[in-house]
Amino acid sequence: MLLTTVSIIMALGAVAIPCLGLWQRIKAKQGIGWQFIRFSVIGTALPICCILALNDVLSGEAATLLGTAMGYAFGHQGESRPPRKKTAESG
């Protein structure tokens, strides 16, 4: 019973964390950049990994896919942009 309860809480967290983060970004009128994508990958992958490990179904293949997603998200440097020119308004 306790294992099922913990799994349900972790599953809700895996969905709630990125959704709440997205809601905060929309409310603040910010874009979705690589920092948010990294946050979403961590916020989703770790609870899923915990659920699989607690239920003894975490296989090597699943761990490899989760690790690959995290490696891609943190290894990507985003688009390179030229530096902005200073204007009189920006100081």
Side-chain angles (χ1 to χ4, degrees), residues 7-38:
S7 295
I8 290 171
I9 292 170
M10 296 294 283
L12 291 174
V15 174
I17 290 172
C19 288
L20 292 173
L22 181 61
W23 175 253
Q24 187 271 335
R25 300 291 289 193
I26 291 171
K27 205 166 100 173
K29 296 183 180 181
Q30 295 177 331
I32 298 175
W34 276 103
Q35 194 64 24
F36 180 75
I37 292 171
R38 289 180 183 113

Side-chain angles (χ1 to χ4, degrees), residues 7-73:
S7 295
I8 290 171
I9 292 170
M10 296 294 283
L12 291 174
V15 174
I17 290 172
C19 288
L20 292 173
L22 181 61
W23 175 253
Q24 187 271 335
R25 300 291 289 193
I26 291 171
K27 205 166 100 173
K29 296 183 180 181
Q30 295 177 331
I32 298 175
W34 276 103
Q35 194 64 24
F36 180 75
I37 292 171
R38 289 180 183 113
F39 165 76
S40 296
V41 168
I42 290 261
T44 305
L46 290 180
I48 289 174
C49 193
C50 291
I51 292 168
L52 294 174
L54 285 172
N55 293 317
D56 290 329
V57 292
L58 182 63
S59 65
E61 293 82 9
T64 301
L65 288 174
L66 290 169
T68 303
M70 291 178 72
Y72 178 77

